Amino acid sequence: MLMIATIAVLSAALTLTAARTAESGEPDSAGLAVPTPSASPVPTLPDLGTPTFSEDFDTPAAAGGPFAATYAQSWQPYPDGMGGKYWSGQIISAHDGYMDVAMDGEHGAAGTFGTPTGAWSHVGGTFSIRARATGGGDNGLAVMLWPTSDDWSEGEMNYPEGNFDGAVHAFHHSMVPGHEQDKVSYTADVSWSDWHTYTTQWVPGKYVRYYLDGKLVLSVTHDVPTTPHRYMFQIGNWGSSGHLMIDWVRSWDAT
């Protein structure tokens, strides 16, 4: 299981023992219905208009400094060496229209999407990423909305998350202090090796909805954050070599 840990981010281990699962076609333990295969239309993400933030990684940029400089208005990496785990500057580049995180089993990567000022102040909104991975067995990814305050009890929304040789999950964590590891989860019937779009729609204090390729797969109306969060990802520094490829990132701030 993927373990996501930083000095600031205290994200829980990938374990389903404390989770309340909500597979497609089944309600979770809170009674929240998720779509079932039927003749009825499947709920889809509405047209959100022009994104507040958008990055397509169309400008080639090498690792080792050029990527960070080229995308300084879109990507705020953890400092190289943070926690002895994250070395984003060494392993992230852009080519062929995507962000390439080259996993090497020794260096992890982590950072926040957005501008140097706007990346930290999301209070609600819709956040979407299109990605796939090749290789990287025993390694994995957590894309998350994490509290800017670094107070875990203000809410953690992870999607997608999982080991690259395993399943793709959404994890919606409890906001009860001391019980943050408890979570509602969804497991997608897709492979990391294929391109998919993962979207989180957050209305503060009301609901969080998770979409796979534009289709609603999980809706949660409890433990819904109301404070500023940042949209970020983390990859550890273990496992086989491989590549995480991010085609684009979009966000639509709440109005």
Side-chain angles (χ1 to χ4, degrees), residues 44-150:
T44 58
L45 191 67
D47 183 4
L48 299 170
T50 303
T52 308
F53 169 81
S54 180
E55 182 55 70
D56 292 282
F57 304 107
D58 287 336
T59 302
F67 179 87
T70 300
Y71 292 96
Q73 293 301 309
S74 300
W75 168 245
Q76 314 308 318
Y78 283 20
D80 278 355
M82 184 171 180
K85 183 185 294 288
Y86 300 110
W87 303 86
S88 303
Q90 293 191 22
I91 66 173
I92 296 180
S93 64
H95 58 87
D96 301 305
Y98 58 81
M99 179 182 187
D100 183 354
V101 184
M103 296 169 282
D104 62 3
E106 297 180 5
H107 302 93
T112 300
F113 295 110
T115 67
T117 55
W120 322 101
S121 58
H122 302 294
V123 183
T126 301
F127 307 85
S128 192
I129 187 169
R130 181 169 173 81
R132 68 183 292 256
T134 61
D138 296 323
N139 211 332
L141 170 72
V143 176
M144 67 184 77
L145 282 158
W146 175 260
T148 297
S149 68
D150 293 324

Side-chain angles (χ1 to χ4, degrees), residues 128-132 195-198 213 245-249:
S128 192
I129 187 169
R130 181 169 173 81
R132 68 183 292 256
W195 287 109
H196 291 286
T197 300
Y198 306 95
D213 296 328
M245 294 166 281
I246 298 175
D247 187 15
W248 50 256
V249 179

Side-chain angles (χ1 to χ4, degrees), residues 1 5 7 35 42 56 73 94 137 173 176-177 184-185 211 219 236 239 245:
M1 290 293 182
I7 293 173
V42 177
D56 292 282
Q73 293 301 309
H173 286 258
V176 177
V184 170
S185 69
Y211 294 82
S219 181
M245 294 166 281

Side-chain angles (χ1 to χ4, degrees), residues 23-36:
E23 303 280 351
S24 273
E26 300 178 358
D28 65 17
S29 63
L32 299 170
V34 296
T36 57

